[in-house]
């Protein structure tokens, strides 16, 4: 909650919304930057539930993290999500960028996000200046 408050200045005054997940036995609650996914289908491994949220909750292809398990996800092209339930367990998704000010909350997700960004910058720089490939490779090592 603190990470959500810190990352979204209107978090405390924005009303939550119940969204359609296009699946029975599911409940989806949105209060940006948080998307909570619940099910009452039970924990049986034979019970398979998928949350298909087509509402554009996040940015297109945004890196997300389930703050309950620290597992990473990616939003769809339209900003929605389609995620399988793990034995009926809930998920609370937030953009990785919104938890960067909370190092105690899924620190490996923040590190992965930073590393991907740094690698992307290095690759972009390398594609522009291929003559310095050896120098950059040594510096990144």
């Amino acid at each position: 909650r603190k990470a959500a408050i810190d990352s979204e200045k209107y978090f405390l005054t924005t009303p939550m919304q119940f969204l359609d997940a296009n699946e029975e036995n599911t409940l989806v609650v949105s209060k940006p930057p948080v998307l909570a996914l619940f099910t009452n289908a039970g924990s049986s491994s034979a019970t398979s539930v998928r949350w298909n949220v087509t509402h554009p909750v996040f940015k297109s292809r945004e890196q997300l993290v389930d703050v309950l398990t620290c597992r990473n996800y990616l939003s769809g092209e339209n900003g929605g999500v389609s995620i399988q339930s793990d034995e009926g367990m809930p998920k609370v998704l937030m953009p990785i960028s919104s938890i960067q000010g909370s190092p105690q909350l899924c620190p490996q997700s923040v590190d992965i996000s930073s590393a991907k960004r740094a690698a992307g910058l290095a690759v972009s720089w390398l594609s522009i200046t291929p003559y310095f490939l050896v120098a950059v490779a040594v510096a990144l090592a």
Side-chain angles (χ1 to χ4, degrees):
R1 184 169 182 248
K2 183 179 179 331
I5 293 168
D6 290 345
S7 73
E8 177 62 49
K9 72 180 191 176
Y10 298 109
F11 179 77
L12 294 175
T13 57
T14 302
M16 67 179 181
Q17 294 180 337
F18 293 94
L19 304 178
D20 186 15
N22 301 314
E23 180 77 31
E24 291 183 22
N25 301 318
T26 62
L27 174 67
V28 178
V29 181
S30 174
K31 185 169 173 80
V34 178
L35 182 69
L37 308 169
F38 304 100
T39 180
N40 68 351
S43 61
S44 168
S45 60
T47 304
S48 178
V49 174
R50 176 171 285 280
W51 292 283
N52 292 305
V53 181
T54 57
H55 186 82
V57 181
F58 303 106
K59 295 175 187 170
S60 176
R61 300 287 185 202
E62 188 167 21
Q63 292 180 335
L64 309 172
V65 63
D66 175 2
V67 297
L68 301 177
T69 63
C70 295
R71 186 172 174 192
N72 293 330
Y73 295 94
L74 190 65
S75 67
E77 285 289 327
N78 72 337
V81 294
S82 181
I83 298 176
Q84 186 74 29
S85 170
D86 298 325
E87 299 179 344
M89 297 302 295
K91 298 196 181 300
V92 178
L93 302 176
M94 293 180 69
I96 288 178
S97 60
S98 69
I99 67 167
Q100 288 181 339
S102 301
Q104 72 284 4
L105 186 62
C106 299
Q108 69 277 17
S109 293
V110 174
D111 291 344
I112 289 169
S113 177
S114 299
K116 284 182 180 177
R117 233 184 348 272
L121 291 174
V123 169
S124 297
W125 188 78
L126 285 174
S127 64
I128 295 170
T129 56
Y131 299 108
F132 298 103
L133 179 60
V134 173
V136 172
V138 171
L140 290 177

